[in-house]
Amino acid sequence: MPNRQQAQAAGVRRTVIRSLAALLGMFAFAFALVPLYDVFCRITGINGKVDATAQSIVHEEVDTSRYVNVQFITRGSAGLPWQMSVEMRQMSVHPGQTAEVDFTFSNNSPNETWGRAVPSVSPSNATRHLRKVSCFCFEEQQLQGDERLTIPLVFQLARDLPEEINTITLVYTLYPVQETLRHTSLNGTRNNKKAARETI
């Protein structure tokens, strides 16, 4: 009887250890998604991965004869207690025109957390015709517990955008940021918080 109880106890310990290992593995994978995504898109060139650095506005004549519908989609992450919303879900923009739209990040937890919004563009061939002048996606963001932060996206559609492209969709997906990346982003995040900010 004691041997049977010992075997059962050993089985329970193995199950607990395996469960903890699987849980740690899932957390590690969630934190690794952003760099893995960056590497994958850099190698394959797919999924409309956009430039991660600010671009300058090009002063060119605006094509007022044509409108392009720009849509914005935001997605959360199971590993990050944030909500991301956008001022307007879509807007009409002329090629050559510079436009601005506000995005709001809300931390729904009482703890300080870090995250990053990873962008993609559809159709993918519109990527090289989209200039991001200012974007929260260039660096990691820090939010205190229950904090809300509003940051603008400033972009320009190039005048040479192909005629067949009438709709461009920008998708922003939130991901948690691992501890080792936080310190390198702190100064940039502080500067970014010169934008409108509100604590709930």
Side-chain angles (χ1 to χ4, degrees), residues 11-26:
V12 170
R13 282 196 300 272
R14 282 195 299 271
T15 301
V16 171
I17 291 171
R18 288 172 183 170
S19 299
L20 289 174
L23 185 62
L24 289 173
M26 285 189 292

Side-chain angles (χ1 to χ4, degrees), residues 113-127:
T113 47
W114 286 67
R116 184 179 179 186
V118 176
S120 63
V121 176
S122 178
S124 58
N125 61 331
T127 305

Side-chain angles (χ1 to χ4, degrees), residues 160-176:
D160 62 357
L161 180 73
E163 289 287 340
E164 66 272 15
I165 299 179
N166 298 312
T167 300
I168 296 175
T169 303
L170 280 75
V171 181
Y172 289 95
T173 305
L174 287 171
Y175 291 99

